[in-house]
Amino acid sequence: MPSAAKTRWSQLKVGILAAIALVILAFLVITMSGTNPLFRETVDAVVYFDDSFAMTVGATPVRLNGILIGKVSNVELSGSNELNRTVKVTLSLNADSLALIPVDSTAGLAQQNLLGARYINIKRGKSAQTIQPGGEIKTEATTEIQDMLDQGKTTLSALQAILTRVEKLVIEIEDGKGTIGKFLRDETLYNNLVGAADEMKKLVVNFNNPNSTIGHLINDDDLYQDVRGTMGKVDQLVDGLNAGEGTLGKLLKDDSLHEELRGTLADLHETLRLVNRGDGTIGKLMTTDTLHRRLEDTMTRLDNVLDKVNTGEGTVGQLLNNPALYESMDNTMREVQGFMKDFRANPKKFLTIQLKLF
Amino acid sequence: MGTDSSIVRFEDVSLHFGDTPALDHVSFEMGAGETRVVFGAAGSGKTMLLKVAVGLQKPDSGRVFLFGQDITHLSEERLFDLRARVGILFQEGALFDSLTIADNVAYPLENQRILQTVGAGSEQRSIEERVVETLRFVELEQTLDKFPSELSGGMRRRVGIARAVVTQPELELYDSPTAGLDPITAHTIISLILKERDTRNTATIIVTHRYQDGQLMANFRYNPNSGEIEAAPRGSEETVDTKFLIMQAGRLVFEGTEPEFLACTDEYVRKFARPGAS
Amino acid sequence: MLDFLKPPIQTFQDFVLVSSRALGNVFRRPHYNSDIFQQMDIIGVGSLPITSMVGWFSGIVMALQMSRALTTYGAESRVGEIVSITLVRELGPVLTALLVAGRNASGMASELGSMKVTEQIDAMRALGTDPSQKLVTPRLIASATMLPLLTIIADCIGMIGGYFVASTQLGLTSSEYWTSAWQVLEYNDLAQGLIKPFAFAIIIALVGCFYGIRTSGGTQGVGRATTNAVVWSSLWIIVINTLITQVFVNF
């Protein structure tokens, strides 16, 4: 057994270590229970969505205008067939936060930032009443439906009012009251109509009768004759045109314009012929030999020069044909190469010479 | 064979490790106040004999009796009570090297106090006094606050003896107490063993490989007046009933008194009858 | 054909026996209180320097590595959260346990192993002491109590290390760092961070003592026992860590 003194010292050290660790642990637990409402009283509220948006039971936070007040405690199908009430989400909220949520608050899904986790955000409403434990918080989607239904109600009642009046109208019509009613019911109009039809018949009979205006119009010869007369005059006009009378006729018939045109064309022809013959500058340009001959001469001389070059006459010729120059150059190149080799082999020789010079 | 008055009794005990027999159908018996000297080559099962005798090792077959009780299948807790009446010296001493000498020797006494077993006279005097007294017995009272690593082999043996005798048990087991010691230290050790045996008439089993040890155990006794051991006159009543047990490959090949031992013609047995045999 | 399976199964069987005995002894008298405190000193206070260093450097490394990733998203202010979570949930318990395993499982195995080969264990039994009660159980109790405490301290120092990096390299204010570090922790994390060290400590003590008590073969045996103790306790720590994490993640 270890001695008592040693044991006491060991106990002391162990105690200090344990104390430090437990203090840290206690601190951690206390700070955590400040932010984690594990032991706070919670109450439930319900929200309905059409989709659960993959919310995590027990983890997805619930915030009131951004402030954390609870978390999602249950997600399940509500079994309801109503629109947007397919999923029932139960929220577990801090008891004291319930009094801060008016009944007209709306709940919706939100994200902290682009990568952040989703949470349910409740936007605070303005009503004086706050929701009760277990009560439902409306979502934005359910708000619209409600409005629609409310609107629908007003529309329906309006529609109803209209229908009532239409009914009244129909009754009146049936009773023969009012214009349409009379129209539908009254016999007088019918009689009138029949009378009018009779008149129409009479009118048609008149048409056929040559004594009435229209009858005349249909049966009379004179108009026809007049029209013929006009047609004859038009004929005459056309003949005149043909005979070359009048401006238009002349334009159509006169020869002189035609002659002039012909004359111009002939001139043009002449000019071209002159040109071909070599008269005039252009003609000369086109037909004379001299220029052509001079070009030829120049070409011949150029030829001669080239021949001389080829045969090695003249400087250029020498330059191109003389092998001696080429050999000379060749030798020079070889010497240079040798020199380079030499230089590379003993650079000192050359460099020292340089030095000596200096 | 003896009855329940025997201290140790082996009935056809066998123990195997794999295929090697550590003990092979061993049977013997020992009464109160008697001495047994166990010879044998290395690995012949001598140490195993001692261990099985106190239940540190359970035999594969046969029965073992300690203080008349069948300990063959006894649980460790029940064995503790019986072991409190036995003192064991292990090879090399087996001292607890993390404790001081004083704590080592006091260990059995502390244990008895913890287990609330009643040892003879262990409550009469304080433990410290007993420790000092026992160390004085082995002539090492100046080593109270030392650690076993600071002592020589012989001194450690002596402390081991002190620890083995501090509870004044009825049975003493010594495993090779003189192994590796020079003749003078060995003689001292045997003297202490004899002193213990003769002062309180303890039953003693000593495992050894030295003929001299057996010879001394058989023929010498401790004289309290002179503080030395001396040869006991042969045939006197003061001679302790000493038998020799020879082990070979786990079998008990010879059991007899010293004259029988010396007269044995078996070649293996005769090896141990010569002085200087080791 | 299945002979090669026999030794490991046998070993495991023995281990279960030793462990159940040691665990049962926690509630049995006698209680060796002075041994328990001594072991607490050795295991707990002795391992404090290295576990603190492990925590410190782990915190720094976590913050450094994460800072790069977080900067790409403009989310450096969250480094406190990340350091806090990784330390409390994983790095703190596992690294501390591995280091303590290396330091103490080897110590237990070699100490008990040396006692075994010098017959001190047998002497204890002969003198009426249950070696399991006196040797194994105190180490078990000491480890199980000390390792969670060490882990807490290592976590704390690690978070300070992370803060050090955050304020010098990322320019975070202390409230930014520490508030996010505290807030992100949940009771689940704390539970994980305490249950893990507790379980690991039991593994370390039982494996270390098991190999120690089973030593045979002289000094070589002691060396082997020490190696086995460290290797197997470390491996089991990793395995049990996975299991516990799995349980907590699905909790």
Side-chain angles (χ1 to χ4, degrees):
Chain A
M1 264 87 26
S3 74
K6 260 176 74 178
T7 312
R8 274 201 297 275
W9 179 226
S10 304
Q11 283 175 337
L12 184 66
K13 287 193 276 182
V14 167
I16 293 177
L17 186 139
I20 296 176
L22 289 173
V23 161
I24 296 176
L25 187 64
F27 178 70
L28 207 59
V29 171
I30 290 175
T31 38
M32 268 178 50
S33 51
T35 56
N36 279 335
L38 188 69
F39 298 120
R40 285 209 202 143
E41 209 184 299
T42 59
V43 290
D44 285 349
V46 214
V47 192
Y48 288 92
F49 288 108
D50 64 341
D51 192 306
S52 86
F53 300 110
M55 278 185 255
T56 328
V57 172
T60 305
V62 178
R63 296 174 183 272
L64 178 64
N65 283 34
I67 300 173
L68 187 71
I69 56 165
K71 57 184 194 277
V72 170
S73 65
N74 195 21
V75 175
E76 60 188 357
L77 292 171
S78 69
S80 160
N81 280 332
E82 293 176 37
L83 190 63
N84 282 347
R85 289 176 80 86
T86 319
V87 174
K88 176 177 168 193
V89 178
T90 313
L91 312 176
S92 172
L93 308 172
N94 294 341
D96 38 5
S97 65
L98 215 59
L100 299 168
I101 306 178
V103 289
D104 59 341
S105 312
T106 56
L109 215 63
Q111 259 183 313
Q112 276 174 329
N113 51 52
L114 201 59
L115 294 171
R118 283 189 163 140
Y119 62 96
I120 294 187
N121 198 22
I122 302 178
K123 291 199 209 124
R124 197 151 183 263
K126 301 191 189 46
S127 166
Q129 244 186 323
T130 58
I131 58 173
Q132 296 301 310
E136 180 184 337
I137 304 178
K138 311 260 188 300
T139 61
E140 289 135 354
T142 51
T143 312
E144 286 166 10
I145 300 262
Q146 209 55 31
D147 282 348
M148 252 169 52
L149 288 172
D150 289 332
Q151 279 182 13
K153 263 202 273 191
T154 33
T155 311
L156 273 170
S157 37
L159 203 61
Q160 248 189 338
I162 293 174
L163 279 170
T164 329
R165 286 166 62 178
V166 169
E167 225 195 311
K168 272 206 291 196
L169 192 65
V170 169
I171 292 173
E172 279 187 19
I173 289 175
E174 277 185 17
D175 286 352
K177 299 196 201 124
T179 326
I180 298 176
K182 283 220 175 33
F183 186 72
L184 286 172
R185 293 258 169 208
D186 202 356
E187 283 205 11
T188 351
L189 181 62
Y190 168 71
N191 293 337
N192 280 348
L193 272 171
V194 170
D198 283 351
E199 295 288 310
M200 280 305 292
K201 253 214 294 212
K202 282 192 209 147
L203 195 64
V204 171
V205 167
N206 264 350
F207 271 145
N208 287 335
N209 190 357
N211 290 332
S212 67
T213 324
I214 295 176
H216 265 279
L217 220 59
I218 291 173
N219 295 317
D220 203 355
D221 246 8
D222 290 358
L223 181 59
Y224 166 70
Q225 292 300 337
D226 277 358
V227 171
R228 280 200 79 213
T230 315
M231 292 310 290
K233 284 211 182 83
V234 173
D235 230 12
Q236 273 177 331
L237 186 65
V238 174
D239 283 352
L241 273 174
N242 275 340
E245 297 162 19
T247 325
L248 201 57
K250 279 216 175 23
L251 215 58
L252 285 169
K253 294 277 175 190
D254 201 352
D255 252 2
S256 46
L257 181 60
H258 166 71
E259 288 304 322
E260 271 191 23
L261 270 170
R262 284 193 73 207
T264 316
L265 277 168
D267 278 359
L268 206 58
H269 195 197
E270 186 65 26
T271 315
L272 276 169
R273 207 166 47 83
L274 284 173
V275 167
N276 275 342
R277 246 188 14 203
D279 289 349
T281 328
I282 297 174
K284 286 222 181 356
L285 217 57
M286 303 278 292
T287 54
T288 345
D289 249 359
T290 0
L291 182 61
H292 163 72
R293 254 187 264 125
R294 283 180 75 175
L295 272 169
E296 249 196 84
D297 283 354
T298 317
M299 292 309 296
T300 325
R301 265 193 236 127
L302 205 58
D303 236 12
N304 288 346
V305 171
L306 280 170
D307 279 351
K308 286 210 187 113
V309 169
N310 272 343
T311 45
E313 300 170 29
T315 327
V316 181
Q318 287 289 324
L319 219 55
L320 284 172
N321 288 318
N322 199 350
L325 180 61
Y326 163 74
E327 269 157 31
S328 169
M329 286 202 70
D330 207 12
N331 287 340
T332 317
M333 285 313 294
R334 253 188 248 126
E335 271 179 43
V336 172
Q337 262 181 19
F339 173 74
M340 289 306 298
K341 245 192 254 163
D342 220 355
F343 183 79
R344 257 190 247 129
N346 355 343
K348 278 221 178 96
K349 194 161 81 175
F350 303 98
L351 293 174
T352 10
I353 292 180
Q354 276 208 315
L355 276 168
K356 282 206 188 128
L357 284 174
F358 286 97
Chain B
M1 285 292 188
T3 57
D4 285 339
S5 66
S6 70
I7 300 283
V8 176
R9 183 159 91 235
F10 274 48
E11 280 182 12
D12 199 27
V13 171
S14 293
L15 175 65
H16 296 263
F17 286 118
D19 294 328
T20 345
L23 294 176
D24 199 353
H25 301 289
V26 174
S27 300
F28 74 96
E29 191 187 343
M30 183 176 134
E34 298 178 6
T35 304
R36 294 286 180 271
V37 181
V38 182
F39 284 124
S44 52
K46 316 193 296 281
T47 312
M48 250 337 119
L49 193 76
L50 293 184
K51 286 199 175 162
V52 172
V54 285
L56 286 173
Q57 189 75 38
K58 295 273 189 277
D60 293 336
S61 66
R63 296 203 298 169
V64 182
F65 292 83
L66 184 62
F67 300 117
Q69 283 190 43
D70 187 347
I71 65 164
T72 324
H73 302 294
L74 212 56
S75 68
E76 281 280 304
E77 287 85 20
R78 310 272 281 285
L79 278 170
F80 286 156
D81 296 334
L82 290 173
R83 287 190 194 139
R85 296 154 69 184
V86 181
I88 310 182
L89 172 68
F90 290 90
Q91 264 177 325
E92 317 282 340
L95 300 179
F96 300 128
D97 41 19
S98 56
L99 305 179
T100 59
I101 300 297
D103 288 332
N104 262 289
V105 178
Y107 193 88
L109 299 172
E110 295 278 353
N111 231 54
Q112 282 184 7
R113 197 168 49 106
I114 290 172
L115 293 177
Q116 293 164 357
T117 51
V118 178
S122 65
E123 290 164 358
Q124 289 175 4
R125 282 179 257 176
S126 80
I127 292 179
E128 251 188 73
E129 282 180 21
R130 285 284 296 280
V131 166
V132 172
E133 191 188 323
T134 315
L135 280 172
R136 205 177 293 141
F137 178 82
V138 299
E139 290 152 31
L140 279 178
E141 57 192 293
Q142 73 279 18
T143 62
L144 273 172
D145 292 318
K146 291 204 166 78
F147 282 91
S149 49
E150 300 173 53
L151 304 186
S152 69
M155 292 162 88
R156 284 206 288 269
R157 290 294 163 76
R158 285 192 276 162
V159 174
I161 294 179
R163 188 177 69 182
V165 305
V166 73
T167 52
Q168 297 180 340
E170 301 157 46
L171 170 65
E172 291 280 358
L173 304 176
Y174 300 96
D175 190 356
S176 308
T178 56
L181 296 180
D182 59 278
I184 300 174
T185 321
H187 186 88
T188 317
I189 298 287
I190 298 292
S191 309
L192 288 171
I193 294 176
L194 281 171
K195 186 170 155 186
E196 166 67 22
R197 181 190 73 178
D198 293 333
T199 316
R200 297 189 311 104
N201 219 25
T202 326
T204 308
I205 304 181
I206 171 166
V207 168
T208 181
H209 58 279
R210 288 165 34 114
Y211 166 73
Q212 295 92 311
D213 298 343
Q215 227 259 323
L216 287 170
M217 295 300 296
N219 300 314
F220 279 60
R221 60 159 185 197
Y222 177 71
N223 187 337
N225 301 322
S226 66
E228 299 282 328
I229 56 172
E230 58 189 24
R234 285 192 187 262
S236 81
E237 293 156 9
E238 291 172 14
T239 315
V240 173
D241 179 5
T242 306
K243 289 220 180 76
F244 287 77
L245 303 171
I246 318 292
M247 303 281 298
Q248 184 183 24
R251 280 184 304 115
L252 188 62
V253 295
F254 175 82
E255 183 180 359
T257 59
E258 202 205 2
E260 296 165 5
F261 173 55
L262 291 171
C264 183
T265 50
D266 183 79
E267 204 187 301
Y268 179 78
V269 173
R270 288 190 65 76
K271 272 199 260 187
F272 299 98
R274 269 177 269 133
S278 58
Chain C
M1 186 179 59
L2 293 170
D3 278 344
F4 71 93
L5 278 179
K6 265 215 247 156
I9 294 183
Q10 187 70 30
T11 312
F12 190 71
Q13 231 179 355
D14 294 338
F15 177 71
V16 170
L17 285 171
V18 167
S19 311
S20 48
R21 195 189 172 80
L23 287 168
N25 279 342
V26 172
F27 305 105
R28 275 190 221 129
R29 284 150 92 239
H31 297 294
Y32 295 100
N33 291 322
S34 43
D35 287 284
I36 296 179
F37 277 109
Q38 196 192 26
Q39 287 302 318
M40 280 186 180
D41 185 13
I42 294 175
I43 296 175
V45 181
S47 305
L48 187 60
I50 50 166
T51 55
S52 306
M53 290 203 29
V54 164
W56 172 256
F57 286 112
S58 302
I60 289 186
V61 164
M62 271 318 294
L64 282 174
Q65 296 281 34
M66 285 297 117
S67 63
R68 245 183 66 186
L70 290 172
T71 317
T72 40
Y73 293 106
E76 302 101 344
S77 58
R78 303 183 77 152
V79 78
E81 282 177 41
I82 293 191
V83 170
S84 172
I85 285 205
T86 47
L87 273 181
V88 169
R89 293 223 287 235
E90 280 303 320
L91 287 187
V94 174
L95 288 181
T96 311
L98 285 177
L99 260 140
V100 167
R103 184 177 178 273
N104 293 112
S106 58
M108 290 182 209
S110 56
E111 196 180 341
L112 296 184
S114 312
M115 288 177 79
K116 177 81 175 8
V117 296
T118 51
E119 294 188 297
Q120 286 177 51
I121 307 274
D122 281 333
M124 244 187 227
R125 288 172 64 200
L127 295 178
T129 307
D130 180 5
S132 176
Q133 183 92 3
K134 172 119 172 106
L135 297 173
V136 180
T137 304
R139 285 167 172 77
L140 181 64
I141 296 177
S143 302
T145 49
M146 284 290 111
L147 194 58
L149 301 177
L150 285 173
T151 308
I152 293 174
I153 295 183
D155 290 343
C156 185
I157 296 186
M159 288 201 253
I160 297 178
Y163 167 64
F164 178 67
V165 167
S167 71
T168 53
Q169 290 213 5
L170 299 173
L172 292 182
T173 62
S174 74
S175 58
E176 256 182 313
Y177 179 86
W178 288 109
T179 332
S180 62
W182 297 140
Q183 278 185 347
V184 78
L185 288 177
E186 295 179 7
Y187 288 105
N188 187 305
D189 300 324
L190 269 193
Q192 227 185 100
L194 290 177
I195 289 185
K196 277 190 187 177
F198 184 73
F200 296 158
I202 296 181
I203 295 174
I204 293 173
L206 289 178
V207 170
C209 293
F210 170 69
Y211 278 108
I213 285 198
R214 259 183 30 133
T215 310
S216 63
T219 44
Q220 261 196 345
V222 174
R224 267 202 308 273
T226 312
T227 315
N228 276 331
V230 174
V231 166
W232 285 105
S233 58
S234 305
L235 282 177
W236 276 108
I237 286 175
I238 305 288
V239 169
I240 300 292
N241 177 50
T242 315
L243 288 175
I244 298 183
T245 311
Q246 177 82 336
V247 165
F248 272 96
V249 161
N250 289 331
F251 199 8

